[in-house]
Amino acid sequence: MLNKNIVKLGIPLAVGALALTGCANDSGSSGDTVKIAFQGPLSGDNVALGQNMERGIQLAIEQANAKGDLGVKLEYFPVDDQGLPEKATAAAQKAIDDTDVVALVGPAFSGATNSAAPLLGDAGLTAISPSATNPGLTEQGFKTFLRGVPNDNAQGAGMADYYAKKLKAKKVYLLDDKSDYGVGLAQVANDKLTAAGVEVVKKSVPAKTPDYSATAKDVVNSKADALIYAGYYQDAAPFAKKLAEAGYKGAAISGDGTNDMKFVELAGDASENWFLTCPCTDATVEASTKQFTEDYKKKFNVAPGTYSAEAYDLTNYVIQEVKRLGDKADRASIYDALAKGSYKGLTKEFSFDGKGELKISNIYLYQVKGGKIAYQGSIQELAGS
Amino acid sequence: MSLVEFWDYLVLGVVLGSIYAVIAIGYTLVYGVLQLINFAHSEVFMLGAYGGLIALTVVAPGNAPSGLASVGYVVLGLAAGAAFGALTAYGLEKVAYRPLRRRGSPRLIFLITAIGASFFLYNLAGKLFGRDPLPMPEAYENKKVLTVFGADLNVTQLLLLASAVVMMVGLDMVVNRTKLGSGIRAVSQDAEVAGLMGVDIDKVVSRTFVIGGLLGGAAGFLYGTFTQVKFDMGFIPGITAFAAAVVGGIGNIRGAMLGGLMLGIVETLTVPAFGGEWRHVGAFVVLIAVLMFRPTGILGERVGRTA
């Protein structure tokens, strides 16, 4: 009997106590520490891309803390999903469970976003991604997903525009790698090119095909004068090599999955003159990001990489809202503020439509020249559209 | 597809097929003496590629040499690849298979061990050398050399073909003309009787692994110059070469060469005919078709008899 009474009394007491501590933590900014999470590949195959963003975020947080006008202390909270959809939910849950986390920058990859975003949405935790570009992500009604980067629709259209208007291509060979990213990108480019009256030969070769000799021959034999490769650098590089061997002389373009020095290293001379697009600007070239690049180099001893500046911008956007909301800053209010507000970052102006899609869709063109990836400028301006 | 284009693809197919053939020999040899599918052979191949890469990076960082120097580099790369492959294969036999053989474990256990060893090795390579692909240092300038029926052949392709032919002829001679070769043939025909006749079975098995490793490692280096070096590069060529060994008749060395060439050609010709996404489908349709009509493969099992 006695035991039962203790249990009867004890449970409500325990629950009440838990609820109280929960409340205290939920209000977040009333405490001393506010955490900003990052979800992306911090180990595994694509760790380099994750580190680019992580460093941007760390720099933004460090600078905000150094200024000391926030009233709270910001803390960086990394969760590692290895860029993999199957690890993304567990990673997101870690960020959700820590009630000091007010917003999450990421997830970095489209596949990972797809599996983690519903969970983050239910928890009311903002997922503001600097790099997940699959167009379908904003069509699924995720409650708290904001995309801080133009999607692949813009990139595919940019490639098509550039070929049709600037290079006046007659026949384009379009190859995708069968991944979500590659197929989506190729489809958009295909539609735009066909609409512009350009003949398109559309083919697929799955990623991780080590021997591209026959495909390269096929490109040459098709008599196409331009080529689009929709895939990642690990495959674009051997493909570029075989193309050069097969004697292909036309133009070649690939997207942000290939826009990495690794592509040039692997393909060597064969990568020369390849065009590369990216929704990202080159932080080391643009005037607006000069100071950022210096600070970044000073702290990490490397130059900023793809999406470093974008991650930095988005983190600063979150920090701006934390500061503005002050005591009222919690997960819900931060999401509202981010979704409805706007922020003039170093790379671009961030503001979102009703679906969480970035309003502007600038795509930038790069070209491999002399073994370097040289920044060319906005593709829309270059194509004259 | 015009006739000239057909020759183009055929040449590419023969080049790819000759690599498959050299790898397939590794599967077939081991199967011949142990009745074991050594699934870790694809990792022998992969580590051979890293061996060649390391040797070339240490000796010749920088630009492509020319003339005699490039011959030296190619020989060095081949030797280093072969050495790495042989070491890996030898180690595999010692660590993974010999203890099982001592205990007389059932065949299934060998198979599982082989797959486990394969996973272990490629993840180890990923940890040691990184998971990003690496370019093979250029040992020569890859120029067009000659034209066969309108199809261009460049240095890499000729090198691949020549090395593969030399390796295959050399192996054929070793197996058929030397004492070691008769040992291999004896053990593969009947290990027990061979043992009673005074053949040192352990020695023969371990040397068989080493021979397979030499060839697999050298093929790894060649394949690396042909594409790039990566920790999981062994998987697809390994599986294809295994299929080639089965098509030719597993256990049969000449069958493995024939099967390798066939799969390489079919795979390459599938690309212009049906598109790149069908390449492996084409190769495996051939595998199934052959096995339906000749379950022992085209040339059948006969590593035990003189060829």
Side-chain angles (χ1 to χ4, degrees):
Chain A
M1 269 320 259
L2 191 68
N3 278 346
K4 255 189 189 166
N5 278 336
I6 288 176
V7 172
K8 269 184 193 165
L9 270 171
I11 288 175
L13 270 177
V15 169
L18 277 174
L20 278 172
T21 48
C23 282
N25 277 343
D26 259 351
S27 52
S29 55
S30 68
D32 303 318
T33 311
V34 167
K35 290 179 183 170
I36 297 176
F38 167 63
Q39 179 177 342
L42 295 171
S43 65
D45 274 4
N46 296 296
V47 60
L49 198 53
Q51 276 173 347
N52 282 343
M53 293 180 234
E54 169 175 67
R55 289 177 182 146
I57 295 166
Q58 284 173 327
L59 185 64
I61 289 174
E62 182 177 284
Q63 288 175 348
N65 277 334
K67 261 192 218 158
D69 57 353
L70 274 174
V72 289
K73 193 176 173 309
L74 288 172
E75 210 172 283
Y76 172 59
F77 189 85
V79 289
D80 179 16
D81 65 9
Q82 298 185 16
L84 301 172
E86 61 269 27
K87 309 235 162 154
T89 43
Q93 192 61 48
K94 269 189 215 155
I96 291 167
D97 288 346
D98 190 324
T99 45
D100 287 344
V101 174
V102 293
L104 178 141
V105 179
F109 285 10
S110 297
T113 307
N114 222 345
S115 59
L119 205 65
L120 291 162
D122 289 342
L125 184 59
T126 309
I128 186 163
S129 176
S131 63
T133 52
N134 186 302
L137 291 174
T138 44
E139 304 296 328
Q140 309 192 30
F142 298 139
K143 281 179 228 155
T144 58
F145 178 66
L146 299 171
R147 190 205 314 263
V149 61
N151 67 29
D152 288 337
N153 283 335
Q155 206 173 166
M159 289 179 183
D161 255 7
Y162 192 74
Y163 271 173
K165 288 182 185 154
K166 174 86 181 197
L167 299 183
K168 308 253 184 282
K170 303 255 170 341
K171 191 174 186 183
V172 175
Y173 193 102
L174 179 51
L175 192 69
D176 70 63
D177 70 348
K178 298 293 270 175
S179 70
D180 283 354
Y181 162 73
V183 170
L185 191 59
Q187 195 54 51
V188 183
N190 183 39
D191 295 349
K192 292 275 172 187
L193 283 168
T194 321
V198 180
E199 194 186 339
V200 178
V201 186
K202 196 169 176 298
K203 297 266 171 94
S204 306
V205 171
K208 296 205 169 192
T209 300
D211 175 33
Y212 281 93
S213 333
T215 307
K217 268 278 185 278
D218 201 43
V219 176
V220 175
N221 289 337
S222 74
K223 307 239 158 31
D225 52 1
L227 168 108
I228 295 177
Y229 183 75
Y232 298 94
Y233 65 82
Q234 301 205 352
D235 289 278
F239 180 44
K241 261 191 166 170
K242 296 292 166 186
L243 269 177
E245 277 175 26
Y248 176 72
K249 295 272 183 284
I253 199 168
S254 191
D256 55 343
T258 303
N259 195 339
D260 192 294
M261 267 314 283
K262 203 80 196 159
F263 169 64
V264 182
E265 268 171 49
L266 284 169
D269 292 345
S271 64
E272 197 65 16
N273 289 328
W274 267 66
F275 290 107
L276 303 168
T277 60
C278 190
C280 56
T281 55
D282 187 344
T284 59
V285 171
E286 295 264 329
S288 60
T289 45
K290 208 163 159 261
Q291 184 59 43
F292 162 75
T293 302
E294 270 171 33
D295 296 342
Y296 189 100
K297 273 188 183 155
K298 209 178 194 177
K299 183 160 166 61
F300 302 108
N301 279 325
V302 287
T306 303
Y307 295 127
S308 290
E310 280 76 5
Y312 175 83
D313 271 353
L314 289 177
T315 312
N316 274 328
Y317 187 12
V318 173
I319 293 169
Q320 170 192 295
E321 296 309 320
V322 168
K323 190 173 161 193
R324 207 173 50 80
L325 288 164
D327 279 350
K328 289 193 277 310
D330 59 16
R331 286 179 180 181
S333 64
I334 294 239
Y335 170 72
D336 266 359
L338 291 171
K340 288 177 190 138
S342 74
Y343 175 69
K344 178 97 187 66
L346 302 178
T347 57
K348 52 186 160 286
E349 166 123 14
F350 294 90
S351 61
F352 303 91
D353 69 9
K355 290 176 180 169
E357 194 77 71
L358 193 68
K359 276 186 186 154
I360 55 159
S361 57
N362 285 340
I363 298 295
Y364 302 90
L365 187 72
Y366 296 74
Q367 190 174 22
V368 182
K369 277 186 182 161
K372 296 231 158 58
I373 297 178
Y375 181 62
Q376 307 288 300
S378 156
I379 200 165
Q380 282 89 347
E381 282 166 29
L382 290 166
S385 63
Chain B
M1 201 181 355
S2 72
L3 193 61
V4 172
E5 284 177 23
F6 175 76
W7 280 111
D8 270 347
Y9 294 111
L10 192 66
V11 165
L12 297 176
V14 170
V15 171
L16 184 65
S18 57
I19 305 184
Y20 289 157
V22 175
I23 311 169
I25 288 169
Y27 285 100
T28 254
L29 274 175
V30 168
Y31 184 84
V33 297
L34 284 185
Q35 271 78 53
L36 152 75
I37 309 291
N38 178 16
F39 273 116
H41 191 58
S42 46
E43 268 46 71
V44 170
F45 167 81
M46 175 269 294
L47 286 167
Y50 275 107
L53 177 107
I54 291 166
L56 282 188
T57 321
V58 170
V59 176
N63 286 331
S66 58
L68 214 57
S70 53
V71 177
Y73 286 162
V74 171
V75 172
L76 172 73
L78 277 171
F84 262 68
L87 265 177
T88 313
Y90 180 77
L92 261 175
E93 201 271 328
K94 263 264 170 9
V95 175
Y97 302 136
R98 185 164 294 186
L100 295 178
R101 217 144 43 76
R102 286 272 149 76
R103 265 176 236 148
S105 303
R107 297 264 163 255
L108 189 63
I109 307 294
F110 278 89
L111 198 68
I112 291 165
T113 306
I115 293 170
S118 170
F119 280 16
F120 170 76
L121 283 176
Y122 89 69
N123 280 302
L124 182 71
K127 190 90 190 134
L128 283 179
F129 307 118
R131 281 160 199 270
D132 261 334
L134 296 168
M136 187 68 87
E138 283 177 42
Y140 50 85
E141 212 178 317
N142 192 14
K143 284 185 295 208
K144 192 176 97 179
V145 185
L146 54 101
T147 310
V148 198
F149 300 112
D152 296 336
L153 271 170
N154 58 35
V155 181
T156 307
Q157 291 166 333
L158 280 175
L159 174 71
L160 277 168
L161 276 176
S163 325
V165 169
V166 168
M167 282 192 260
M168 288 191 267
V169 171
L171 176 77
D172 215 69
M173 276 163 63
V174 166
V175 170
N176 289 321
R177 306 247 170 99
T178 63
K179 202 171 160 208
L180 171 62
S182 31
I184 293 175
R185 280 183 283 134
V187 173
S188 73
Q189 202 161 40
D190 192 329
E192 212 173 315
V193 175
L196 292 172
M197 304 299 278
V199 176
D200 186 342
I201 298 180
D202 277 349
K203 213 181 234 174
V204 167
V205 167
S206 138
R207 284 182 185 171
T208 309
F209 267 89
V210 168
I211 293 175
L214 285 170
L215 296 179
F221 166 72
L222 291 172
Y223 201 69
T225 59
F226 185 64
T227 58
Q228 56 192 15
V229 184
K230 203 174 170 228
F231 74 104
D232 62 355
M233 68 185 281
F235 183 68
I236 289 173
I239 287 288
T240 316
F242 167 60
V246 175
V247 165
I250 188 137
N252 184 318
I253 294 169
R254 290 183 183 174
M257 301 177 193
L258 179 71
L261 274 180
M262 229 172 92
L263 286 199
I265 292 169
V266 170
E267 192 185 313
T268 308
L269 285 177
T270 311
V271 174
F274 302 102
E277 36 194 333
W278 293 94
R279 56 190 310 152
H280 299 299
V281 180
F284 282 89
V285 164
V286 170
L287 172 70
I288 292 164
V290 167
L291 293 185
M292 271 169 75
F293 296 104
R294 275 193 68 93
T296 54
I298 298 173
L299 297 187
E301 271 185 66
R302 61 170 206 183
V303 82
R305 275 152 269 157
T306 38

